[in-house]
Amino acid sequence: MRRSDFHFDLPDTLIARHPTPERSASRLLHLDGRTGALVDRQFRDLSALLRPDDLLVFNDTRVVPARLFGHKAGSGGKVEVMLERLLGGRRAIVQLRASKPSRPGTVIDFDGAAALTVTGREDDFWTVEFDRDAHEVFERLGQMPLPPYVGRPAEDADRERYQTVYAREPGAVAAPTAGLHFDAATLEACRAAGASFAYVTLHVGAGTFQPVRVDDVAQHQMHAEVYEVPAATCEAVAATRRRGGRVIAVGTTAVRSLESAAVGAGGGDGELRPTTGETRLFLTPGRRFHVVDALVTNFHLPESTLLMLVSAFATREHVLRAYAHAVEQRYRFFSYGDAMFVEPSPEALAPRNPVR
C-alpha cells in the first residue's frame, strides 16, 4: 500500500475551526461496511442505531493544556513547549520549538511563574524537569493544544469543548475527538436504548499530528502511547459477547486500546486481557479486528494513520467513497467536525474466541 492510496481532496472551507453550539448538534454519516451503503443522519440519532445489549467503549483520557510559551534563560529566545507525556512529579517528555536548537542544561523560564531544565533527548522529543510539579505547571499556565489545522489560537471556551464530558484521567495532548459529540442527553439516550458503557484510557500523544512521511505505508513507525484496558472493561466485553451484543468503540483510540490488549497481551491470541503499557499498533487494510464490532469516529486527514485504520475496518473503497460523499454534502471535517458510525466489512473481523 502506498500513502497516496489514502488521498482525498478536501476544500479548506470544510475544516471545522470551531465546535458546534451544542455537542450533539453535529451530523452523523452511517456507513455499512458490508455494502458501502450510506445514510445521512444527525448525531442525536446515534441511539437509534444501537441494539439492546450493545457496549459502548469510551476513552476517558483527559486533555492537559499542553502548550507552553517561554524564553531561554540568558539569551531570551522564544521557545514553544508542547507536552508529549507526563512522567510523574516534575519530569515530562516534550517537543521544543525555537529558532536555535536546545541542548541538555538549557533553562526555559515562563515569566517567573515556573521554569524547566532540559535533561536529555529521545528521538524527536526532549526530556525535561520543571522546578515544580509538571502537571500543575501545564494546568496553570498551558493552552489547550488545538491541532495545527484548526488554524487559530486556543480560546477560553476550548478548555471545556476540546474535552469529553467523561474525561477523568489526565495525560493526553489531543482529544479523543469522536467523544466530543456526546453530552448528557445523548449518553442517557444510549442507555435508554439498552447500551451499557465501559472505559479504556489511551493518552493521545503529540505524535498523533505527525504525518505519514514514507511512501510505503508498511515502513511507517507509530509513536508509542500509554494505554490501559482495565479488568472491568474486559469483563464487560465478555458479558456483551455472551448476550450477543456488539462492542462499539467510540473513537480510533478506543479501537487501538482494545485491539492492542487483544493482540499484545498474553499470547497475542486475540483474547482480551487487562493490560497496561505502551502501544504502537498500526491498523491498516489487511489487519483483522479481534474485539471491535462497530466504530464511532470523526473524519480524518488525508493519508493519515487514522484514515488507514477506518479503511481497515470498512475497506478502503467504501471509506473513500463515504469521504467523497461527505465532501459533496459539505460535512465538517477533523477534530471539531462531524462524525461517522461505521459498521465493518465481513473480512475485517477475526473469528471471535469462545466466551466462557
Side-chain angles (χ1 to χ4, degrees), residues 8 10 15 149 298-302 332-338:
F8 66 93
L10 181 70
I15 298 174
Y149 50 71
N298 277 21
F299 292 94
H300 304 295
L301 274 70
R332 302 166 72 248
F333 277 68
F334 307 157
S335 294
Y336 274 145
D338 295 317

Side-chain angles (χ1 to χ4, degrees), residues 27-356:
R27 298 166 73 187
L28 181 71
L29 180 59
H30 179 188
L31 168 60
D32 185 336
R34 296 165 297 177
T35 65
L38 300 169
V39 181
D40 297 306
R41 303 179 183 273
Q42 297 295 312
F43 195 83
R44 294 188 179 103
D45 297 337
L46 177 64
S47 60
L49 299 176
L50 303 180
R51 306 168 190 165
D53 298 325
D54 281 347
L55 176 70
L56 289 169
V57 181
F58 300 93
N59 180 5
D60 66 1
T61 188
R62 186 170 186 82
V63 181
V64 176
R67 182 170 280 119
L68 295 171
F69 296 92
H71 298 83
K72 290 183 180 180
S75 70
K78 295 181 180 180
V79 183
E80 178 182 343
V81 179
M82 178 69 174
L83 176 67
E84 169 65 14
R85 186 185 304 179
L86 294 167
L87 297 177
R90 299 182 178 188
R91 299 173 60 241
I93 298 175
V94 302
Q95 291 181 357
L96 297 176
R97 298 187 180 95
S99 58
K100 294 183 179 180
S102 300
R103 56 179 57 88
T106 299
V107 175
I108 299 171
D109 179 70
F110 303 101
D111 296 329
L116 68 77
T117 301
V118 177
T119 57
R121 184 154 195 169
E122 294 187 3
D123 298 324
D124 296 333
F125 303 105
W126 295 90
T127 56
V128 299
E129 183 167 348
F130 286 83
D131 60 353
R132 62 203 69 196
D133 183 79
H135 182 216
E136 182 270 330
V137 174
F138 282 103
E139 287 289 344
R140 182 164 52 90
L141 303 178
Q143 296 183 11
M144 290 301 273
L146 296 184
Y149 50 71
V150 171
R152 63 172 176 84
E155 301 168 358
D156 289 344
D158 293 309
R159 284 213 168 216
E160 186 259 335
R161 289 304 301 272
Y162 195 61
Q163 196 84 266
T164 65
V165 297
Y166 46 80
R168 58 190 178 193
E169 298 292 338
V173 302
T177 55
L180 297 180
H181 305 283
F182 287 85
D183 52 23
T186 305
L187 292 169
E188 181 54 37
C190 292
R191 287 190 189 278
S196 54
F197 300 165
Y199 298 89
V200 297
T201 304
L202 185 146
H203 294 315
V204 190
T208 194
F209 301 133
Q210 297 298 316
V212 177
R213 294 189 173 92
V214 293
D215 291 329
D216 180 357
V217 168
Q219 300 303 312
H220 177 70
Q221 180 71 38
M222 297 283 282
H223 285 283
E225 293 172 309
V226 174
Y227 79 107
E228 178 181 9
V229 177
T233 295
C234 298
E235 293 163 4
V237 168
T240 299
R241 291 267 183 265
R242 288 192 291 268
R243 296 192 302 263
R246 298 174 298 175
V247 176
I248 302 173
V250 177
T252 57
T253 57
V255 173
R256 292 182 64 238
S257 297
L258 293 169
E259 297 298 325
S260 294
V263 301
D269 55 5
E271 182 177 345
L272 187 66
R273 296 177 174 88
T275 310
T276 300
E278 292 186 346
T279 179
R280 294 180 182 266
L281 183 64
F282 186 18
L283 291 164
T284 56
R287 295 292 295 267
R288 304 178 85 183
F289 294 75
H290 296 269
V291 182
V292 177
D293 301 306
L295 168 64
V296 180
T297 188
N298 277 21
F299 292 94
H300 304 295
L301 274 70
E303 303 181 6
S304 65
T305 60
L306 304 182
L307 178 57
M308 294 171 192
L309 183 155
V310 180
S311 297
F313 195 65
T315 80
R316 185 179 69 91
E317 294 74 18
H318 289 339
V319 170
L320 290 181
R321 193 177 303 119
Y323 271 55
H325 173 87
V327 169
E328 180 183 335
Q329 297 299 314
R330 301 195 64 77
Y331 276 70
R332 302 166 72 248
F333 277 68
F334 307 157
S335 294
Y336 274 145
D338 295 317
M340 298 180 72
F341 182 81
V342 185
E343 295 176 291
S345 63
E347 60 269 25
L349 301 184
R352 297 323 197 210
N353 291 332
V355 177
R356 294 184 292 273

